[in-house]
Amino acid sequence: LTATSLQPWQVSKFLVEKGSTNALHGQVTIGTLILQDCAVGLLFALIPVLGGSSGIFGGMMSMGRLLLVLSIFITVAYMMTWSFIPRFLKLMIQLSSQTNELYQLAAVAFCLLLAWCSDYLGLSLELGSFLAGVMISTTDFAHHTLEQVEAIRNLFAALFLASIGMLIHFKFLWNHVDILLAAVILVIIVKSIVITAVIKSFGYSIRTAFIVGLSLAQIGEFAFVLLSRASHHHLIGVNYSHPI
């Protein structure tokens, strides 16, 4: 299914290049991508609980503790968003007036620190990274930060796609090419139909719903990360976590 893996940021980039971000279908597509990222963050937090073996009562207690920790973590992050983060980014801009390397390092270090804190609290690295991006995006320096980390983001995206590509076994691919092609086509068709139906049910025109359905017919990279973490917690078989 690697062929259908198109990152959400690539979808957003495609909409920007086509000048469709202000169009109705562009706004619905971007809004849906944001909602998907939020849902993925919650799933990352719940996977360790779902993979536990302490029974129903223990699972409920673990989920309660997780939700409490998650609520506190998000609350502290929200408070920092309106107090510490703008001052920190402004200070980094002032200190890096001659060169942008310091601001780039500060932005990346902040994201890594929040990811580490999230993992230390028993949530997930991905949830912390996602929350760090949300915190920066709510400030006045969001666009400047995005410009500074654009090259780094493309580098990490290339490394991700390269790592996924290195997991492909050509012998397996050749022996199961019919099943793989059928799966790719099925995913694209089924997902397009489902998304189109959902968007249409919210009162949008069939044209808007169809365009959004085609835009979101891909499989995001978080699907592979979710499968990997679920396999690590023995929620699914190892064979099903293979990217192809």
Side-chain angles (χ1 to χ4, degrees):
L1 298 181
T2 306
T4 62
S5 175
L6 184 64
Q7 287 86 344
W9 68 266
Q10 287 181 325
V11 177
S12 302
K13 184 178 181 180
F14 175 79
L15 293 174
V16 171
E17 292 176 350
K18 294 297 183 180
S20 302
T21 54
N22 293 326
L24 182 59
H25 66 271
Q27 294 178 351
V28 174
T29 300
I30 294 176
T32 305
L33 289 173
I34 294 175
L35 180 62
Q36 288 179 351
D37 288 343
C38 293
V40 166
L42 180 60
L43 289 174
F44 279 137
L46 292 179
I47 280 179
V49 176
L50 297 176
S53 58
S54 54
I56 297 178
F57 179 76
M60 293 179 62
M61 292 294 295
S62 299
M63 185 170 294
R65 288 195 297 268
L66 176 66
L67 292 177
L68 178 61
V69 172
L70 181 62
S71 301
I72 296 176
F73 185 61
I74 293 178
T75 301
V76 173
Y78 177 80
M79 295 173 61
M80 291 178 60
T81 301
W82 301 109
S83 57
F84 172 75
I85 302 303
R87 294 185 176 90
F88 172 73
L89 295 178
K90 184 178 181 180
L91 176 62
M92 291 299 101
I93 289 179
Q94 294 175 350
L95 294 177
S96 59
S97 57
Q98 302 297 327
T99 178
N100 294 322
E101 283 77 5
L102 180 60
Y103 189 87
Q104 293 174 344
L105 291 174
V108 173
F110 169 73
C111 295
L112 293 177
L113 177 62
L114 205 63
W116 177 84
C117 291
S118 176
D119 184 66
Y120 181 79
L121 293 174
L123 300 175
S124 69
L125 292 170
E126 296 83 4
L127 180 63
S129 302
F130 172 75
L131 191 59
V134 173
M135 293 171 66
I136 295 178
S137 67
T138 57
T139 66
D140 297 331
F141 308 99
H143 184 70
H144 178 73
T145 305
L146 183 61
E147 290 179 343
Q148 297 301 317
V149 301
E150 182 74 25
I152 303 176
R153 185 182 67 171
N154 293 335
L155 173 62
F156 280 111
L159 288 176
F160 172 81
L161 293 176
S163 63
I164 293 296
M166 287 187 290
L167 293 176
I168 296 178
H169 299 280
F170 287 100
K171 184 178 180 180
F172 178 89
L173 185 66
W174 177 257
N175 293 334
H176 301 84
V177 62
D178 53 343
I179 299 177
L180 294 173
L181 288 177
V184 169
I185 296 174
L186 184 64
V187 166
I188 294 176
I189 294 177
V190 172
K191 194 173 181 183
S192 298
I193 294 175
V194 171
I195 294 177
T196 300
V198 171
I199 299 300
K200 185 67 175 67
S201 66
F202 279 90
Y204 292 98
S205 65
I206 186 64
R207 179 180 181 275
T208 300
F210 182 70
I211 294 177
V212 174
L214 290 179
S215 301
L216 300 177
Q218 27 68 30
I219 296 176
E221 74 278 14
F222 279 144
F224 299 126
V225 182
L226 274 175
L227 287 174
S228 176
R229 292 185 66 87
S231 174
H232 178 72
H233 288 85
H234 307 291
L235 291 175
I236 60 174
V238 176
N239 291 334
Y240 295 102
S241 66
H242 199 282
I244 59 171

